[in-house]
Amino acid sequence: MKFSDTFEVRFAEMVTHYPTKRSALVPTLLYAQDEVGCLSDEVIAELAQRLELTELEVRNVISYYSMLTTKPRGKYNVQVCTNISCLVRGGEEILHHCQKKLGIGHKGTTPDGIFSLEEVECIGGCSWAPAAQVNYDYHENLTAEKMDKVLEEYRRKEMQ
Amino acid sequence: MAYLVSHPDEVKIVSRRFGQGAANLDRYLELDGYKAVQKALAMEPDAIINEVKNSGLRGRGGAGFSAGMKWSFVPKQSAKPKYVLCNGDESEPGTCKDRLIFEHDPHSVIEGVTIAALAVGAQTGYIYIRGEYRYLSVIMQKALRDAYARGFLGKNIFGSGRNLDIYWHGGAGAYEVGEESALMESLEGKRGIPRIRPPFPAVVGLWGGPTVINNAETLASVPHIILGGAEWFARLGPPKNGGTRLFCLSGNLNMPGVYELPMGYNLKKMVYDVGGGIPNGRRLKAVVPGGSSTPCLTADEIDVNMDFDSVAKAGSMLGSGGVVVIDDAQCIVKFALRTMKFYQHESCGWCIPCREGTDWLKKTLLRFHAGGGLKKDIDNMQYLAENMLGRTFCPLGDAAAMPMIAFVKKFRKEFEDHLEGRPCPYEKEGAVEQLPVFAH
Ligand SMILES: Cc1cc2nc3c(=O)[nH]c(=O)nc-3n(C[C@H](O)[C@H](O)[C@H](O)COP(=O)(O)O)c2cc1C
Ligand code: SF4
Ligand code: FES
């Protein structure tokens, strides 16, 4: 299994930060997922072997963390917060707007594989609510129109 | 990038370097950076601990425990290595302040971890940042590299003969790992299931070694205490509540934002003056004063000073500093439903009162809000929540139960308004469309 050089450099450094190898597991899984698209059987086998764990132990950890996934998502994962600060400022409306616009529901992926949609818990954008993240980018003080522009922007990026 | 705001009543200490490019090490040094560490290096460990104790600094993560006291629990001698762990998991709904610290002043956190390490005799520190904050972990990793390059970290820091390594660590989406013992599990590469206490982390923590765990804002306050003195810091707030707090004002306000105000600042003023009041000619219904885990206060109850003890006296908690303002267009049942949905999703499932209790509350509220409520549901929800209190393995169970009890007790009328198939009186477009939500 081949990862990028950046991944390898980070991995090699990371495992030296802890007295036990498995401590590097959670951040490493996320970086691997960002590269491969999801935590495939292959990725799991590889990381289990490197960190001297069983595949079951790795899967056990993956199932705990909401950002980790064994199934591929769209290239741009649209994560709309509907938690309390966002709720009272229209977070649900933003979510419903995205559902209609993209034609998919919670944890769905568009047929072209460009977008996924997820309703998420608080992402730390409360004072700038309603807030959403597309992959790791924050988009805040959202309105339906602003959300359209955001989605357009990513779609355009994809077309280029 | 999060927007910055300001208000004349602010006392900028932790936020002093916000917006000034202090993520850059040279700029940080121009702004008195790393002076506190150098001062601390010349102090006895006990003197540092006493200074922090006397400053009245209490944990900004939620529980408000005295930071100096916590440090003093770490045994002087230990066969196993000692650790300092900075909690930057920031996931309490309504809370978005650690994000600003990491973004604008990452070195202040490094400095705080360093001083804590000097005080307790640790040679290793970790800064745990939630997975969603990827851009902040990039900033933090650079800050750490820069500090190493100057000899502020690593072997023989500042030529003092002492060694200190500080590493960054990342999460991957889980509120529960913000709980200190689950945080350690997560850092050890496991599921975030809490540990039984005692032993407390200060005695048996990471890999069995004594571990100090503090919130990022707590640690970022420490350098200022060392430089400005305990007395100065203590006097910024009422007795036993030293310093300032980054209050995250959110919800139905004209000017939401993160404001640094002295401890004990009046909540009413915070809502109507600092936060600019309620928009659209609406009126205030309730305020959640310290993140989603804290019992709400009604509009009549907000004349309260925002320090740990005063808010406790008012029947709630200062919590994490997340002040969520709710106007009279909002439905409390819906708000309660969203809150319980959160705790149900985040419950780690280890103990039954929390795992089943949050699930029952969520399901009952879902049905209730959609118009299928029964009168006895109201008492049942309160009874259920009251029976969760104090019966769970970690405080997440309480964190779910406490706000639930307050919603029912303080807004019973609103629950009753939903009864007998009537659609929610607050729903703008009539009956609610309840889309299925799949857990995980
Ligand atoms: C469910 C739960 C979630 C928590 N999340 C956080 C968090 O995200 N950040 C934090 O600093 N403390 C959080 N805490 C509090 C920590 O357990 C711990 O008390 C705190 O990090 C100690 O630091 P302090 O004394 O400086 O506040 C949480 C507690 C519970 C029960
Ligand atoms: S109270 Fe909830 S989160 Fe805490 S251990 Fe029990 S099930 Fe897990
Ligand atoms: S509640 Fe939506 S970002 Fe915090």
Side-chain angles (χ1 to χ4, degrees):
Chain A
M1 164 110 227
K2 196 139 171 47
F3 293 112
S4 72
D5 292 348
T6 329
F7 179 93
E8 293 300 353
V9 171
R10 183 180 283 115
F11 181 82
E13 195 201 316
M14 219 137 185
V15 287
T16 67
H17 292 175
Y18 316 92
T20 56
K21 272 190 181 174
R22 83 170 286 168
S23 287
L25 182 60
V26 176
T28 300
L29 282 168
L30 196 52
Y31 279 114
Q33 174 175 298
D34 291 344
E35 231 164 63
V36 181
C38 73
L39 297 166
S40 60
D41 293 349
E42 218 186 350
V43 174
I44 292 170
E46 174 76 18
L47 291 178
Q49 188 248 327
R50 288 194 193 192
L51 297 172
E52 292 161 17
L53 296 166
T54 63
E55 289 183 28
L56 186 65
E57 283 170 305
V58 175
R59 286 183 192 278
N60 201 14
V61 168
I62 292 171
S63 67
Y64 181 87
Y65 295 91
S66 64
M67 291 173 76
L68 302 178
T69 178
T70 52
K71 297 189 191 77
R73 289 177 181 142
K75 184 158 183 199
Y76 300 107
N77 189 27
V78 182
Q79 303 148 77
V80 182
C81 173
T82 57
N83 214 310
I84 52 174
S85 303
C86 293
L87 177 77
V88 301
R89 291 181 80 95
E92 285 199 332
E93 284 77 8
I94 300 292
L95 177 70
H96 293 158
H97 184 76
C98 291
Q99 284 173 334
K100 270 191 219 124
K101 201 83 190 175
L102 300 172
I104 50 177
H106 178 56
K107 299 213 171 177
T109 301
T110 54
D112 58 9
I114 298 180
F115 289 108
S116 288
L117 183 62
E118 225 179 296
E119 176 183 13
V120 294
E121 302 299 352
C122 177
I123 50 176
C126 327
S127 286
W128 312 280
Q133 265 188 305
V134 180
N135 296 346
Y136 292 105
D137 298 338
Y138 276 88
H139 299 281
E140 296 168 320
N141 295 312
L142 289 168
T143 57
E145 297 75 53
K146 208 164 155 189
M147 195 71 224
D148 281 343
K149 283 208 192 99
V150 169
L151 295 177
E152 255 335 289
E153 198 74 16
Y154 285 100
R155 200 182 291 278
R156 194 162 332 123
K157 225 187 213 171
E158 194 47 34
M159 297 305 166
Q160 276 163 9
Chain B
M1 293 278 154
Y3 314 86
L4 297 175
V5 284
S6 73
H7 185 272
D9 285 358
E10 276 190 288
V11 178
K12 297 203 181 210
I13 294 168
V14 174
S15 63
R16 198 172 79 192
R17 302 188 188 95
F18 287 8
Q20 307 210 31
N24 175 296
L25 182 52
D26 288 314
R27 183 75 186 121
Y28 184 70
L29 291 171
E30 278 170 28
L31 298 166
D32 298 330
Y34 287 102
K35 280 192 183 153
V37 166
Q38 294 181 64
K39 187 170 171 190
L41 275 166
M43 291 165 75
E44 286 298 321
D46 278 342
I48 302 176
I49 293 178
N50 278 335
E51 194 75 357
V52 174
K53 250 192 212 166
N54 295 337
S55 75
L57 173 66
R58 294 169 67 170
R60 304 314 196 217
F65 194 78
S66 156
M69 195 80 90
K70 192 186 275 185
W71 297 7
S72 73
F73 295 156
V74 175
K76 296 266 176 284
Q77 303 298 329
S78 168
K80 294 202 167 153
K82 303 180 199 176
Y83 300 97
V84 175
L85 171 53
C86 167
N87 190 344
D89 190 55
E90 185 158 78
S91 311
E92 171 90 0
T95 318
C96 48
K97 65 190 175 64
D98 298 341
R99 178 175 164 198
L100 292 184
I101 301 174
F102 288 131
E103 180 174 327
H104 292 275
D105 205 7
H107 287 283
S108 71
V109 179
I110 299 174
E111 226 185 320
V113 172
T114 306
I115 295 166
L118 293 173
V120 302
Q123 298 198 352
T124 312
Y126 294 97
I127 298 173
Y128 188 117
I129 300 178
R130 68 180 294 189
E132 291 85 346
Y133 286 174
R134 170 62 60 83
Y135 81 105
L136 299 176
S137 63
V138 172
I139 293 174
M140 183 53 78
Q141 288 175 59
K142 177 172 190 310
L144 287 166
R145 270 198 307 275
D146 292 348
Y148 269 100
R150 300 283 175 97
F152 300 169
L153 292 175
K155 297 254 175 299
N156 189 22
I157 60 168
F158 294 93
S160 65
R162 303 214 221 166
N163 305 330
L164 176 65
D165 284 308
I166 301 181
Y167 306 114
W168 156 86
H169 189 87
Y175 166 64
E176 173 59 1
V177 305
E179 193 280 331
E180 56 181 19
S181 66
L183 186 73
M184 297 190 291
E185 289 289 303
S186 178
L187 198 134
E188 292 183 12
K190 303 174 200 155
R191 291 167 74 89
I193 309 286
R195 297 178 184 175
I196 194 138
R197 277 149 293 171
F200 289 95
V203 183
V204 181
L206 281 171
W207 303 287
T211 304
V212 161
I213 303 168
N214 276 124
N215 171 256
E217 185 188 352
T218 313
L219 289 164
S221 307
V222 168
H224 300 289
I225 294 168
I226 297 299
L227 280 185
E231 209 177 305
W232 158 77
F233 193 82
R235 268 210 299 256
L236 293 167
K240 300 206 188 90
N241 287 271
T244 54
R245 258 205 107 149
L246 295 174
F247 287 103
C248 321
L249 304 194
S250 75
N252 304 120
L253 284 173
N254 277 312
M255 288 183 287
V258 178
Y259 298 88
E260 183 167 10
L261 297 162
M263 276 285 193
Y265 194 87
N266 185 277
L267 178 57
K268 200 168 184 173
K269 259 182 96 180
M270 216 181 271
V271 171
Y272 289 106
D273 187 357
V274 181
I278 321 292
N280 308 323
R282 287 280 172 188
R283 292 163 62 139
L284 180 68
K285 179 180 275 184
V287 178
V288 175
S292 63
S293 309
T294 62
C296 65
L297 300 170
T298 64
D300 302 331
E301 293 172 331
I302 65 161
D303 194 1
V304 51
N305 293 343
M306 292 289 273
D307 57 72
F308 288 103
D309 303 321
S310 306
V311 182
K313 215 179 280 168
S316 188
M317 282 159 66
L318 191 60
S320 63
V323 179
V324 187
V325 175
I326 307 167
D327 74 17
D328 63 355
Q330 312 300 328
C331 169
I332 287 291
V333 177
K334 176 118 179 219
F335 195 90
L337 166 60
R338 188 60 188 90
T339 308
M340 289 311 121
K341 189 171 143 199
F342 169 70
Y343 289 103
Q344 187 270 343
H345 182 253
E346 300 299 327
S347 166
C348 81
W350 185 253
C351 59
I352 294 164
C354 169
R355 184 185 64 218
E356 301 300 320
T358 53
D359 198 46
W360 271 102
L361 288 171
K362 183 192 92 171
K363 283 181 181 152
T364 310
L365 283 162
L366 193 63
R367 172 169 53 76
F368 201 98
H369 183 253
L374 302 168
K375 194 159 176 24
K376 66 176 183 192
D377 286 330
I378 307 176
D379 287 332
N380 277 350
M381 284 189 278
Q382 183 178 337
Y383 180 71
L384 201 162
E386 280 169 353
N387 278 291
M388 286 164 68
L389 280 184
R391 292 199 173 87
T392 55
F393 195 67
C394 91
L396 188 138
D398 291 345
M402 287 183 304
M404 188 64 225
I405 295 167
F407 290 136
V408 176
K409 275 195 175 161
K410 297 183 182 186
F411 291 97
R412 198 179 179 92
K413 168 93 180 45
E414 230 169 274
F415 279 83
E416 286 168 355
D417 285 347
H418 283 73
L419 278 175
E420 285 152 31
R422 269 181 265 167
C424 170
Y426 295 88
E427 210 60 43
K428 289 140 220 152
E429 292 147 23
V432 209
E433 183 192 1
Q434 287 298 350
L435 295 149
V437 175
F438 304 104
H440 268 9

